[in-house]
Amino acid sequence: MTRETPAGDLRLANLTKRFGIFTAVDDLSLTVPQGSFFALLGASGCGKTTTLRMIAGLEEPTGGQVLLGDRDIARLRPYKRPVNTVFQSYALFPHLNIFENVAFGLRRRGIRSVDDEVMRMLSLVQLDDYGSRRPAQLSGGQQQRVALARALINRPQVLLLDEPLGALDLKLRRQMQIELKRIQTEVGITFVHVTHDQEEAMTMADTVAVMNAGRIEQLGAPADIYEFPATAFVANFLGQSNLLAGEAAGTAGGEVAVTAHGARFSVPAGRARSDRGLVHLGVRPEKLHLVGSADQVPAGHQHVTGVVTDASYVGVSTQYLLRTGWGTELSVFTANSGAATQVPVGSEAVAYWDARHAFLLSRDAADSDRTAPVVDEPVGASS
Amino acid sequence: MTVLAQVPTGSGQPPPTPPAARSGRHRLLPYLLLLPGAAWLLVFFGVPLVQLAAASLYDPSGSLSTGYALTWAFGNYPDVLQAYWPQFLRSFGYAGIALVLALLLGYPLAYAIAQKAGRWKNLLLVCVIAPMFTSFLVRTLAWKTILSDNGALVGLLRDVHLLAPDGRLLATPFAVVLGLTYNFLPFLVLPLYASLERLDHRLLEAASDLYASPVQAFRRVTLPLSMPGLVAGTLLFFIPASGDYINAELLGTPNEYMIGNVIDSAFLVRLDYPQGAALSFLLMAAILAVVFGYLRRAGTEEVL
Ligand SMILES: Nc1ncnc2c1ncn2[C@@H]1O[C@H](COP(=O)(O)OP(=O)(O)O)[C@@H](O)[C@H]1O
Ligand SMILES: [Mg+2]
């Protein structure tokens, strides 16, 4: 079952899908290198599934190309594409046992002796003894693994995974993330993994594309996106950010000078998406440190002063809210490493940060400060 | 890899109810609920059935006026079979052909209503059932008008030379099979619809993603998943169709008579009760044999 088609990268070129007047996927272009683990991350309804369905051939694009190597497959019928999908709902065949579910793709391509391959696949997903069961007799996690085996056995050039772990509880989800990553490394197939869980995207993928309203907001390695987001949306979708509305006055001596709420800050030029005009000065909550007074701030650091209005102890860290003089509440996370002392609610405090940890994003005139609400979900909650 | 070993292998079964928790009254309740139905069945099915069985073994030389004697005349059975085997064969032949036609019409119809009709679904279902609001007899008589020699249909077919100038539709096997197909079609469509309506179209997408062409997806996914409805529908169609006599009576001639017509005349015209009863039992046995044979094959999921 070797494939003659030239292997290669998956490229989407100006891919667009409209439902009536509604644009679900808007002029999307990206390249997924062969053999990489690519995550498409975005909120519910942003067009992730529609994008996958166009790659799989289950949805016809309104415009644009889906290229596999040099071949445009956008108009091929789904059963003619060397692409397989792990569906959000698994979509296992209820009338077939697990063995036949996994063998389905091989049989449709006229392969007669499937036993060895199926057994190998079942053991890869640790379901060796389940071949004769029906899907309804398996737990959610087991069904998910059958769906994975059923797709993987065909050795597609690209495997599409549509929020495959969404239905699993947290613990099983973490296990499956590790497992999926291991399998991907082992088989070396290109994985395009759709998720709305930013932590899942970051832990698993080589490359993450953050999607918003049918467009890619930013694409890159998880650490690069996290450390230097391109837009305010990304800054607050992937983790949390404190974004202060300010104005930048251009680069001088490798630094960008920013005025925000009457105070002056500076940011290295390499950390500025925009160095002139309206900007957001961004700092991640865990990059902020709390001290009692301004003279405790180490040299070369920037700071703002405020009053602690809330402190939530979450074990691994304490999450503070610091109300600044102009009324914005900044989030500050201090690691529970034993080094820092607890700061009582109501006391004055100074938050400082290393200038190299801040970033500048361009800002619309209507935008003011943006700080993510304190959510009990995902950031740091389980790390 | 080892982490997965801890994945639970199945949801826990609810603990069985201890027998002591069920009081005697609760154990009797299901039987009490069965009682009215069982009584009905006994009085209106069981007793007549025994009577019919007895009648089939009466001395054939008796008559209504002279009275019948139960002489255990098993010879009645080979006698009627020898006399009426063509009508038996014709019954199953016509019903079988009508079933094939009904499947060709009914499966796409049920599929379209269940999967493609969208908001027209209910209206189309009503259309399938609507003819049943008029009597079976009236509907069959309507076909008699439609197929009649000086009707528009025959005129048209003669004009386009699909029918010889003296050719006819009425009083032919064609008319009888057509009547059977038409009259019993809803019994096939409704159970099929119920099965196809539950078919998750995402399974078809999965099949197509897994290299199944539309034909293969139909054969490997749609068809097996519609099997319960298909089995129920074919039985609900075939059983009454093979025992029917109205269609042959109204749309055919004695040359098209089915076993139902023979039974009808044995009881009501010739007043030959032993013969009528023996034919009825043979018909019942034949249908049961066909049904069980069919169900056994259907049970192995390899009917088609
Ligand atoms: N068949 C369809 N007809 C109309 N709108 C659709 C259809 N499929 C998806 N949409 C819309 O397109 C948008 C993107 O959907 P989807 O790709 O499923 O989002 P995601 O997978 O990111 O949650 C949603 O607003 C959804 O309502
Ligand atoms: Mg989705």
Side-chain angles (χ1 to χ4, degrees), chain A residues 19 22 24 42-51 59 88 162-163 194:
Chain A
F19 295 108
F22 176 75
S44 179
C46 73
K48 306 181 298 291
T49 295
T50 307
T51 306
E59 203 84 70
Q88 196 160 5
D162 192 356
E163 309 209 22
V194 155

Side-chain angles (χ1 to χ4, degrees), chain B residues 7-283:
Chain B
V7 173
T9 52
S11 56
Q13 300 284 327
T17 324
R22 296 172 150 216
S23 72
R25 209 156 54 91
H26 277 133
R27 233 180 315 163
L28 272 180
L29 189 64
Y31 298 104
L32 288 174
L33 288 174
L34 270 178
L35 211 56
W40 178 276
L41 210 61
L42 186 73
V43 173
F44 295 104
F45 181 73
V47 172
L49 195 70
V50 171
Q51 212 170 9
L52 196 68
S56 75
L57 301 173
Y58 285 160
D59 179 0
S61 61
S63 75
L64 266 191
S65 42
T66 60
Y68 285 111
L70 179 54
T71 58
W72 304 98
F74 286 100
N76 287 343
Y77 283 88
D79 287 349
V80 292
L81 199 58
Q82 188 158 33
Y84 297 111
W85 65 266
Q87 282 83 352
F88 261 111
L89 281 188
R90 201 177 290 138
S91 287
F92 289 110
Y94 285 0
I97 297 169
L99 176 63
V100 171
L101 290 176
L103 279 172
L104 292 178
L105 284 171
Y107 201 104
L109 179 66
Y111 187 86
I113 297 176
Q115 293 281 323
K116 308 280 178 199
R119 60 205 179 90
W120 301 107
K121 199 184 265 187
N122 288 333
L123 182 69
L124 287 171
L125 272 182
V126 169
C127 289
V128 170
I129 305 167
M132 310 250 256
F133 285 111
T134 58
S135 117
F136 187 89
L137 219 53
V138 170
R139 277 180 283 143
T140 312
L141 283 168
W143 274 108
K144 194 169 176 155
T145 315
I146 294 170
L147 301 176
S148 71
D149 291 341
N150 32 27
L153 183 62
V154 168
L156 180 74
L157 290 177
R158 281 177 183 164
D159 287 347
V160 300
H161 299 288
L162 278 175
L163 212 57
D166 59 344
R168 44 190 324 216
L169 292 176
L170 198 62
T172 61
F174 170 80
V176 179
V177 169
L178 182 94
L180 290 173
T181 309
Y182 164 80
N183 274 314
F184 297 106
L185 188 63
F187 297 107
L188 178 73
V189 170
L190 291 180
L192 251 185
Y193 163 82
S195 266
L196 287 167
E197 214 263 326
R198 266 180 282 133
L199 180 71
D200 185 348
H201 75 276
R202 289 176 299 188
L203 294 178
L204 298 180
E205 292 189 343
S208 139
D209 187 67
L210 292 164
Y211 311 102
S213 65
V215 172
Q216 286 179 318
F218 175 79
R219 187 158 139 56
R220 300 295 170 184
V221 180
T222 309
L223 195 57
L225 286 175
S226 64
M227 224 29 169
L230 194 62
V231 170
T234 43
L235 290 182
L236 285 178
F237 182 98
F238 187 79
I239 294 171
S242 52
D244 180 75
Y245 65 99
I246 302 276
N247 285 283
E249 175 81 39
L250 296 181
L251 303 175
T253 67
N255 287 332
E256 282 79 40
Y257 272 7
M258 298 164 65
I259 200 64
N261 301 91
V262 180
I263 296 173
D264 175 49
S265 90
F267 276 120
L268 301 179
V269 181
R270 289 182 279 123
L271 302 179
D272 188 343
Y273 278 29
Q275 221 179 45
L279 283 168
S280 300
F281 260 88
L282 276 179
L283 177 63

Side-chain angles (χ1 to χ4, degrees), chain A residues 114-186:
Chain A
V114 298
D115 291 24
D116 290 352
E117 195 64 15
V118 172
M119 290 322 291
R120 234 169 44 76
M121 221 54 226
L122 284 178
S123 99
L124 182 72
V125 295
Q126 310 234 314
L127 289 172
D128 308 65
D129 302 328
Y130 290 78
S132 57
R133 295 216 198 171
R134 293 288 170 103
Q137 295 170 301
L138 299 192
S139 71
Q142 292 168 332
Q143 292 185 21
Q144 193 273 328
R145 282 180 275 154
V146 176
L148 181 65
R150 186 180 69 168
L152 265 183
I153 195 171
N154 304 295
R155 311 220 162 260
Q157 282 185 54
V158 180
L159 185 74
L160 308 172
L161 303 105
D162 192 356
E163 309 209 22
L165 310 181
L168 307 185
D169 60 51
L170 191 69
K171 189 152 173 266
L172 191 54
R173 193 151 79 219
R174 296 284 173 259
Q175 292 173 356
M176 284 308 303
Q177 286 171 5
I178 297 164
E179 191 65 4
L180 265 183
K181 183 71 193 159
R182 183 187 63 77
I183 289 173
Q184 194 267 338
T185 317
E186 225 169 272

Side-chain angles (χ1 to χ4, degrees), chain A residues 89-111:
Chain A
S89 56
Y90 310 150
L92 299 180
F93 302 118
H95 59 295
L96 299 178
N97 64 21
I98 300 310
F99 185 99
E100 286 303 324
N101 263 281
V102 174
F104 194 91
L106 296 183
R107 293 211 196 277
R108 297 295 81 74
R109 285 184 293 155
I111 295 160

Side-chain angles (χ1 to χ4, degrees), chain A residues 66-381:
Chain A
V66 178
L67 295 143
L68 208 52
D70 306 322
R71 199 153 67 106
D72 184 2
I73 59 168
R75 263 92 202 159
L76 278 186
R77 313 303 312 149
Y79 52 92
K80 298 256 171 79
R81 299 187 188 201
V83 171
N84 289 108
T85 309
V86 178
F87 292 91
Q88 196 160 5
S89 56
Y90 310 150
L92 299 180
F93 302 118
H95 59 295
L96 299 178
N97 64 21
I98 300 310
F99 185 99
E100 286 303 324
N101 263 281
V102 174
F104 194 91
L106 296 183
R107 293 211 196 277
R108 297 295 81 74
R109 285 184 293 155
I111 295 160
R112 291 244 164 258
S113 50
V114 298
D115 291 24
D116 290 352
E117 195 64 15
V118 172
M119 290 322 291
R120 234 169 44 76
M121 221 54 226
L122 284 178
S123 99
L124 182 72
V125 295
Q126 310 234 314
L127 289 172
D128 308 65
D129 302 328
Y130 290 78
S132 57
R133 295 216 198 171
R134 293 288 170 103
Q137 295 170 301
L138 299 192
S139 71
Q142 292 168 332
Q143 292 185 21
Q144 193 273 328
R145 282 180 275 154
V146 176
L148 181 65
R150 186 180 69 168
L152 265 183
I153 195 171
N154 304 295
R155 311 220 162 260
Q157 282 185 54
V158 180
L159 185 74
L160 308 172
L161 303 105
D162 192 356
E163 309 209 22
L165 310 181
L168 307 185
D169 60 51
L170 191 69
K171 189 152 173 266
L172 191 54
R173 193 151 79 219
R174 296 284 173 259
Q175 292 173 356
M176 284 308 303
Q177 286 171 5
I178 297 164
E179 191 65 4
L180 265 183
K181 183 71 193 159
R182 183 187 63 77
I183 289 173
Q184 194 267 338
T185 317
E186 225 169 272
V187 297
I189 289 172
T190 310
F191 274 35
V192 179
H193 181 101
V194 155
T195 177
H196 65 260
D197 178 347
Q198 48 110 3
E199 194 169 325
E200 184 171 303
M202 286 202 281
T203 52
M204 299 173 82
D206 307 317
T207 311
V208 175
V210 182
M211 219 176 150
N212 182 29
R215 290 173 164 277
I216 300 286
E217 291 260 336
Q218 189 175 3
L219 187 152
D224 294 347
I225 298 183
Y226 187 82
E227 297 301 338
F228 192 18
T231 65
F233 175 85
V234 174
N236 273 323
F237 192 78
L238 211 67
Q240 280 176 257
S241 297
N242 298 296
L243 299 177
L244 302 181
E247 250 176 270
T251 309
E255 299 281 321
V256 182
V258 182
T259 318
H261 304 285
R264 296 182 62 81
F265 303 97
S266 86
V267 176
R271 303 272 305 159
R273 300 279 179 195
S274 160
D275 73 345
R276 197 169 289 280
L278 301 179
V279 289
H280 268 135
L281 170 65
V283 192
R284 296 277 186 190
E286 72 278 11
K287 300 284 170 38
L288 290 176
H289 309 279
L290 280 188
V291 287
S293 61
D295 47 297
Q296 289 170 273
V297 174
H301 286 64
Q302 324 259 308
H303 70 271
V304 295
T305 309
V307 177
V308 175
T309 54
D310 187 61
S312 2
Y313 176 78
V314 293
V316 291
S317 68
T318 306
Q319 309 189 352
Y320 295 98
L321 285 183
L322 183 76
R323 187 192 298 279
T324 59
W326 60 92
T328 296
E329 287 192 321
L330 303 181
S331 296
V332 181
F333 298 167
T334 56
N336 189 10
S337 58
T341 50
Q342 298 285 317
V343 185
V345 173
S347 62
E348 277 221 352
V350 175
Y352 71 88
W353 67 92
D354 187 329
R356 288 168 303 171
H357 289 154
F359 51 86
L360 283 186
L361 309 173
S362 70
R363 168 174 74 92
D364 288 338
D367 265 359
S368 57
D369 290 358
R370 276 210 219 173
T371 55
V374 178
V375 283
D376 42 14
E377 243 224 315
V379 168

